[in-house]
């Protein structure tokens, strides 16, 4: 996986079209969101109350010149203290309920999104995965979804709360004393300016951190998968040095962002202290001149302290919002890429018929302008066994890819029993044509699971039957757990030959009419070779078979051989015919198969 531009944080902090689309995910939870917003207003109101209560207490009951009786003053004070506690408790309850609700909704949305992305990925054609590295797609499903969730839980919600609180405080301050309120607001431009600078700095270093994390991930992925090569060629020291460089860069990027924080928050502190000094001076003068009550001054100071916190929070929230926007843009980008290989409007059913395969003037290119198959035509009669041979890169695997519609042909068409394969539902086609790929992929799970792939309609009895038929039972029963032996990741614990036999069993349990097999190139020991050849003979019996052959012994069993060269069919015929013709096949045979026949692998 290489680091790519697509993984970078970019774009605006707020994009209304994007936001509207994000919000559509909330539609199923409208009621909960409504309650949550109402609670938010309550939380905000409860946050405004305490300083005002303090003011009431001071001005009404603590004034030494108060005309009230001692009893009335104690009573009033007690009442206010009580309300104070109740307000705090209600505020706590509202905040708790609000937090819980919003997190709940956020988790639901994440759940829905992950389902949507995964099912979308399952429908994408293979060429999509050629272009999008695994690491990137995994990021979409995991961290991008996670970041998007923050938009709901901390981003948008907290911003609402901060804005409500700010406006509330401003209103109360103006109500208490307009002149002093304006003095408090004097420092606001400075505050916003420093927030702006901070935001730009943090944004830059945040981007840098992401970029460098991506670089480290790419490096690690390569080096962990390639560990055998690193060790065989003693590259540890070099790779370690490279990693040190990348690691240092990431460290620097983090330090840079820490610096921004370390400067910003003290700046806010200083500004807020200056504001309080101003309030003390002007407000205090007001108290002396009796234009302001003492309680109002105390309330002012408390509000001013609460006033500056949300502003500094806001600039952090801005960054959250920005990365959420970037994440959602990438997620939606993925969701908006429609699969190009899809079922037709009205899929034609595949009749349980003979299983004739025809390639009709098929041309194909993976990348525009680089055609790998040129005008390929051939017919495989029902029940016929055909081998395709040719040099590496000739286009043999491509033929298989086209037949299972992993990719669609560029020109020409592919017919099964006279019907263009594009007229069938993909699931029908793939149920009808069993494909055994060159690299056998094993899922984590046990042996039985790797044969039936979790299909419940296939009984264990059948799995055993097929495995016995295909010569796989012997090795399976040698495993300590037999059919329930766990297979390690990618089946590393099984040999190449064993994996081949498993893949045959996997294809056979579906009793396909047509069989397509890309023979593994890696050589196996003579005994396994023998087992595999015998299995293949049984495997192909009574089925239309197309085998990409790398082994002489395989070629012996087929009816006809097609020779592919640079994406063109150059020769076609039986082994004998082709040998006597003295063309490319006889050359290939000389080069490749003669040695094998002599037993020189
Ligand atoms: N996914 C792909 N994207 C781009 N080019 C590809 C892809 N797969 C194969 N090719 C190219 O297509 C040509 C034919 O490949 P392939 O069919 O795998 O050959 P073979 O199986 O005969 O060795 C090669 O030049 C190969 O590099
Ligand atoms: Mg191949």
């Amino acid at each position: 996986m290489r680091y790519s531009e697509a993984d970078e944080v970019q774009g605006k902090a707020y994009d209304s079209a994007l936001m509207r689309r994000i919000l559509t995910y909330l539609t199923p939870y409208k009621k909960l969101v409504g309650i949550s917003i109402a609670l938010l207003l309550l939380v905000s109101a409860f946050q405004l109350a305490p300083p005002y209560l303090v003011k009431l207490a001071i001005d009404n009951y603590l004034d030494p010149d108060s005309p009230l009786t001692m009893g009335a003053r104690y009573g009033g004070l007690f009442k206010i203290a009580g309300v104070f506690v109740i307000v705090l408790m209600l505020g706590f309850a509202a905040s708790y309920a609000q937090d819980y609700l919003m997190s709940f909704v956020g988790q639901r949305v994440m759940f829905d999104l992950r389902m949507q992305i995964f099912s979308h990925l399952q429908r994408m054609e293979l060429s999509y995965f050629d272009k999008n590295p695994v690491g990137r797609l995994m990021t979409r499903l995991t961290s991008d979804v996670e970041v998007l969730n923050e938009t709901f839980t901390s981003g948008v919600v907290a911003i609402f709360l901060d804005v409500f609180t700010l406006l509330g405080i401003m209103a109360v301050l103006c109500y208490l004393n307009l002149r002093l309120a304006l003095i408090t607001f004097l420092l606001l431009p400075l505050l916003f300016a420093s927030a702006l600078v901070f935001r730009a700095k943090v944004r830059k270093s945040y981007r840098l951190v992401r970029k460098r994390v991506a670089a480290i991930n790419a490096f690690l992925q390569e080096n962990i998968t390639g560990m055998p090569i690193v060790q065989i060629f003693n590259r540890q020291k070099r790779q370690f040095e490279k990693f040190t460089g990348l690691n240092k860069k990431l460290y620097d990027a983090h330090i840079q962002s820490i610096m921004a924080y370390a400067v910003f928050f003290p700046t806010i502190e200083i500004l807020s202290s200056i504001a309080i000094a101003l309030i003390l001076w002007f407000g205090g003068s007001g108290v002396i001149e009796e234009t302001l009550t003492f309680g109002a001054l105390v309330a002012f100071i408390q509000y001013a302290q609460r006033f500056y916190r949300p502003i500094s929070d806001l600039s952090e929230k801005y960054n959250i919002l920005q990365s959420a926007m970037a994440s959602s843009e990438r997620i939606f980008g993925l969701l908006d890429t429609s699969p190009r290989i899809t079922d037709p409007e009205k899929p034609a059913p595949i009749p349980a018929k003979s299983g004739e395969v025809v390639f009709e003037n098929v041309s194909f290119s993976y990348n525009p302008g680089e055609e790998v198959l040129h005008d390929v035509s051939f017919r495989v009669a029902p029940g016929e066994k055909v081998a395709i041979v040719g040099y590496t890169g000739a286009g043999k695997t491509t033929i298989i890819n086209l037949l299972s519609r992993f990719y669609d042909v560029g020109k020409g068409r592919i017919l099964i029993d006279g019907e263009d394969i594009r007229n069938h539902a993909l699931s029908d086609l793939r149920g009808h044509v069993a494909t055994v790929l060159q690299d056998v992929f094993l899922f984590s799970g046990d042996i039985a699971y790797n044969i039936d792939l979790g299909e419940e309609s296939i009984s264990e009895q059948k799995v055993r039957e097929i495995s016995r038929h295909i010569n796989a039972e012997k090795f399976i029963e040698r495993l300590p757990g037999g059919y329930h032996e766990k297979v390690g990741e990618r089946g590393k614990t099984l040999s190449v030959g064993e994996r081949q036999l498993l893949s045959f069993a996997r294809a056979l349990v579906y009793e396909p009419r047509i069989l397509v097999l890309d023979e593994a190139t890696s050589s196996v020991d003579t005994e396994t070779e023998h087992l595999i050849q015998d299995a293949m003979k049984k495997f192909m019996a009574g089925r239309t078979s197309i085998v990409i052959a790398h082994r002489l012994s395989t070629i012996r069993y087929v009816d006809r051989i097609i020779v592919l060269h640079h994406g063109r069919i150059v020769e076609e015929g039986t082994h004998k015919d082709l040998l006597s013709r003295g063309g490319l096949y006889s050359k290939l045979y000389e080069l490749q198969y003669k040695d094998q026949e002599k037993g020189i692998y």
Side-chain angles (χ1 to χ4, degrees), residues 391-398 400 438 518-519 521 548 550:
Y391 290 114
T392 300
K396 304 180 298 288
T397 303
T398 306
I400 287 191
Q438 203 163 16
D518 204 347
E519 217 174 47
T521 34
I548 294 179
H550 300 292

PDB file of all heavy atoms in Angstrom, residues 391-398 400 438 518-519 521 548 550, ligand 2:
ATOM      1  N   TYR A 391       3.238 -18.995 -22.475  1.00  0.00           N
ATOM      2  CA  TYR A 391       4.201 -18.401 -21.549  1.00  0.00           C
ATOM      3  C   TYR A 391       3.485 -17.586 -20.469  1.00  0.00           C
ATOM      4  O   TYR A 391       2.325 -17.202 -20.643  1.00  0.00           O
ATOM      5  CB  TYR A 391       5.146 -17.460 -22.307  1.00  0.00           C
ATOM      6  CG  TYR A 391       6.118 -18.148 -23.241  1.00  0.00           C
ATOM      7  CD1 TYR A 391       6.039 -17.964 -24.613  1.00  0.00           C
ATOM      8  CD2 TYR A 391       7.118 -18.968 -22.724  1.00  0.00           C
ATOM      9  CE1 TYR A 391       6.940 -18.584 -25.478  1.00  0.00           C
ATOM     10  CE2 TYR A 391       8.024 -19.595 -23.580  1.00  0.00           C
ATOM     11  CZ  TYR A 391       7.927 -19.397 -24.949  1.00  0.00           C
ATOM     12  OH  TYR A 391       8.809 -20.010 -25.785  1.00  0.00           O
ATOM     13  N   THR A 392       4.200 -17.309 -19.439  1.00  0.00           N
ATOM     14  CA  THR A 392       3.679 -16.420 -18.403  1.00  0.00           C
ATOM     15  C   THR A 392       3.342 -15.071 -19.023  1.00  0.00           C
ATOM     16  O   THR A 392       4.120 -14.561 -19.831  1.00  0.00           O
ATOM     17  CB  THR A 392       4.758 -16.201 -17.319  1.00  0.00           C
ATOM     18  OG1 THR A 392       5.081 -17.464 -16.777  1.00  0.00           O
ATOM     19  CG2 THR A 392       4.249 -15.293 -16.221  1.00  0.00           C
ATOM     20  N   GLY A 393       2.189 -14.552 -18.682  1.00  0.00           N
ATOM     21  CA  GLY A 393       1.792 -13.248 -19.215  1.00  0.00           C
ATOM     22  C   GLY A 393       1.075 -13.351 -20.555  1.00  0.00           C
ATOM     23  O   GLY A 393       0.724 -12.344 -21.152  1.00  0.00           O
ATOM     24  N   ALA A 394       0.837 -14.573 -21.021  1.00  0.00           N
ATOM     25  CA  ALA A 394       0.184 -14.744 -22.326  1.00  0.00           C
ATOM     26  C   ALA A 394      -1.287 -14.339 -22.270  1.00  0.00           C
ATOM     27  O   ALA A 394      -1.873 -13.982 -23.286  1.00  0.00           O
ATOM     28  CB  ALA A 394       0.316 -16.190 -22.780  1.00  0.00           C
ATOM     29  N   GLY A 395      -1.886 -14.415 -21.085  1.00  0.00           N
ATOM     30  CA  GLY A 395      -3.290 -14.031 -20.956  1.00  0.00           C
ATOM     31  C   GLY A 395      -4.187 -15.195 -20.534  1.00  0.00           C
ATOM     32  O   GLY A 395      -5.404 -15.122 -20.630  1.00  0.00           O
ATOM     33  N   LYS A 396      -3.562 -16.253 -20.027  1.00  0.00           N
ATOM     34  CA  LYS A 396      -4.323 -17.458 -19.666  1.00  0.00           C
ATOM     35  C   LYS A 396      -5.282 -17.174 -18.503  1.00  0.00           C
ATOM     36  O   LYS A 396      -6.484 -17.453 -18.580  1.00  0.00           O
ATOM     37  CB  LYS A 396      -3.357 -18.594 -19.290  1.00  0.00           C
ATOM     38  CG  LYS A 396      -2.358 -18.914 -20.381  1.00  0.00           C
ATOM     39  CD  LYS A 396      -1.415 -20.033 -19.995  1.00  0.00           C
ATOM     40  CE  LYS A 396      -0.535 -19.737 -18.791  1.00  0.00           C
ATOM     41  NZ  LYS A 396       0.540 -18.778 -19.019  1.00  0.00           N
ATOM     42  N   THR A 397      -4.743 -16.593 -17.435  1.00  0.00           N
ATOM     43  CA  THR A 397      -5.589 -16.302 -16.274  1.00  0.00           C
ATOM     44  C   THR A 397      -6.694 -15.313 -16.646  1.00  0.00           C
ATOM     45  O   THR A 397      -7.808 -15.387 -16.152  1.00  0.00           O
ATOM     46  CB  THR A 397      -4.728 -15.752 -15.130  1.00  0.00           C
ATOM     47  OG1 THR A 397      -3.707 -16.699 -14.837  1.00  0.00           O
ATOM     48  CG2 THR A 397      -5.543 -15.491 -13.883  1.00  0.00           C
ATOM     49  N   THR A 398      -6.350 -14.415 -17.556  1.00  0.00           N
ATOM     50  CA  THR A 398      -7.337 -13.422 -17.994  1.00  0.00           C
ATOM     51  C   THR A 398      -8.571 -14.108 -18.583  1.00  0.00           C
ATOM     52  O   THR A 398      -9.700 -13.674 -18.360  1.00  0.00           O
ATOM     53  CB  THR A 398      -6.694 -12.474 -19.021  1.00  0.00           C
ATOM     54  OG1 THR A 398      -5.499 -11.933 -18.450  1.00  0.00           O
ATOM     55  CG2 THR A 398      -7.629 -11.358 -19.406  1.00  0.00           C
ATOM     56  N   ILE A 400      -9.840 -16.925 -17.753  1.00  0.00           N
ATOM     57  CA  ILE A 400     -10.659 -17.396 -16.627  1.00  0.00           C
ATOM     58  C   ILE A 400     -11.416 -16.238 -15.990  1.00  0.00           C
ATOM     59  O   ILE A 400     -12.600 -16.333 -15.682  1.00  0.00           O
ATOM     60  CB  ILE A 400      -9.753 -18.043 -15.561  1.00  0.00           C
ATOM     61  CG1 ILE A 400      -9.259 -19.373 -16.058  1.00  0.00           C
ATOM     62  CG2 ILE A 400     -10.504 -18.187 -14.263  1.00  0.00           C
ATOM     63  CD1 ILE A 400      -8.594 -20.161 -14.991  1.00  0.00           C
ATOM     64  N   GLN A 438      -5.490 -20.070  -9.185  1.00  0.00           N
ATOM     65  CA  GLN A 438      -4.111 -20.514  -9.055  1.00  0.00           C
ATOM     66  C   GLN A 438      -3.633 -20.475  -7.596  1.00  0.00           C
ATOM     67  O   GLN A 438      -3.060 -21.426  -7.101  1.00  0.00           O
ATOM     68  CB  GLN A 438      -3.245 -19.596  -9.906  1.00  0.00           C
ATOM     69  CG  GLN A 438      -1.950 -20.194 -10.314  1.00  0.00           C
ATOM     70  CD  GLN A 438      -1.349 -19.408 -11.463  1.00  0.00           C
ATOM     71  OE1 GLN A 438      -1.740 -18.281 -11.752  1.00  0.00           O
ATOM     72  NE2 GLN A 438      -0.394 -19.997 -12.127  1.00  0.00           N
ATOM     73  N   ASP A 518      -7.159 -23.067 -12.856  1.00  0.00           N
ATOM     74  CA  ASP A 518      -5.849 -22.464 -13.099  1.00  0.00           C
ATOM     75  C   ASP A 518      -4.865 -23.259 -12.256  1.00  0.00           C
ATOM     76  O   ASP A 518      -4.838 -23.114 -11.034  1.00  0.00           O
ATOM     77  CB  ASP A 518      -5.874 -20.984 -12.681  1.00  0.00           C
ATOM     78  CG  ASP A 518      -4.809 -20.186 -13.417  1.00  0.00           C
ATOM     79  OD1 ASP A 518      -3.928 -20.802 -14.024  1.00  0.00           O
ATOM     80  OD2 ASP A 518      -4.879 -18.941 -13.382  1.00  0.00           O
ATOM     81  N   GLU A 519      -4.123 -24.088 -12.902  1.00  0.00           N
ATOM     82  CA  GLU A 519      -3.237 -24.981 -12.173  1.00  0.00           C
ATOM     83  C   GLU A 519      -2.176 -24.191 -11.410  1.00  0.00           C
ATOM     84  O   GLU A 519      -1.654 -23.207 -11.925  1.00  0.00           O
ATOM     85  CB  GLU A 519      -2.530 -25.892 -13.185  1.00  0.00           C
ATOM     86  CG  GLU A 519      -2.331 -27.285 -12.710  1.00  0.00           C
ATOM     87  CD  GLU A 519      -1.756 -28.147 -13.830  1.00  0.00           C
ATOM     88  OE1 GLU A 519      -0.799 -27.717 -14.490  1.00  0.00           O
ATOM     89  OE2 GLU A 519      -2.293 -29.230 -14.037  1.00  0.00           O
ATOM     90  N   THR A 521       1.358 -23.224 -10.148  1.00  0.00           N
ATOM     91  CA  THR A 521       2.636 -23.394 -10.837  1.00  0.00           C
ATOM     92  C   THR A 521       3.668 -24.073  -9.954  1.00  0.00           C
ATOM     93  O   THR A 521       4.580 -24.714 -10.447  1.00  0.00           O
ATOM     94  CB  THR A 521       3.213 -22.040 -11.289  1.00  0.00           C
ATOM     95  OG1 THR A 521       2.856 -21.073 -10.324  1.00  0.00           O
ATOM     96  CG2 THR A 521       2.711 -21.669 -12.651  1.00  0.00           C
ATOM     97  N   ILE A 548      -5.911 -24.455 -17.248  1.00  0.00           N
ATOM     98  CA  ILE A 548      -4.672 -23.780 -17.605  1.00  0.00           C
ATOM     99  C   ILE A 548      -3.568 -24.669 -17.084  1.00  0.00           C
ATOM    100  O   ILE A 548      -3.405 -24.821 -15.873  1.00  0.00           O
ATOM    101  CB  ILE A 548      -4.614 -22.388 -16.979  1.00  0.00           C
ATOM    102  CG1 ILE A 548      -5.710 -21.558 -17.634  1.00  0.00           C
ATOM    103  CG2 ILE A 548      -3.253 -21.765 -17.193  1.00  0.00           C
ATOM    104  CD1 ILE A 548      -5.805 -20.184 -17.106  1.00  0.00           C
ATOM    105  N   HIS A 550       0.074 -26.363 -16.424  1.00  0.00           N
ATOM    106  CA  HIS A 550       1.507 -26.135 -16.287  1.00  0.00           C
ATOM    107  C   HIS A 550       2.224 -27.475 -16.215  1.00  0.00           C
ATOM    108  O   HIS A 550       3.429 -27.523 -16.148  1.00  0.00           O
ATOM    109  CB  HIS A 550       1.802 -25.341 -15.017  1.00  0.00           C
ATOM    110  CG  HIS A 550       1.138 -24.006 -15.010  1.00  0.00           C
ATOM    111  ND1 HIS A 550       1.498 -23.008 -15.873  1.00  0.00           N
ATOM    112  CD2 HIS A 550       0.116 -23.525 -14.286  1.00  0.00           C
ATOM    113  CE1 HIS A 550       0.739 -21.938 -15.655  1.00  0.00           C
ATOM    114  NE2 HIS A 550      -0.118 -22.245 -14.699  1.00  0.00           N
TER     115      HIS A 550
HETATM  116 MG1  LIG B   2      -1.740 -16.992 -14.775  1.00  0.00          MG
END
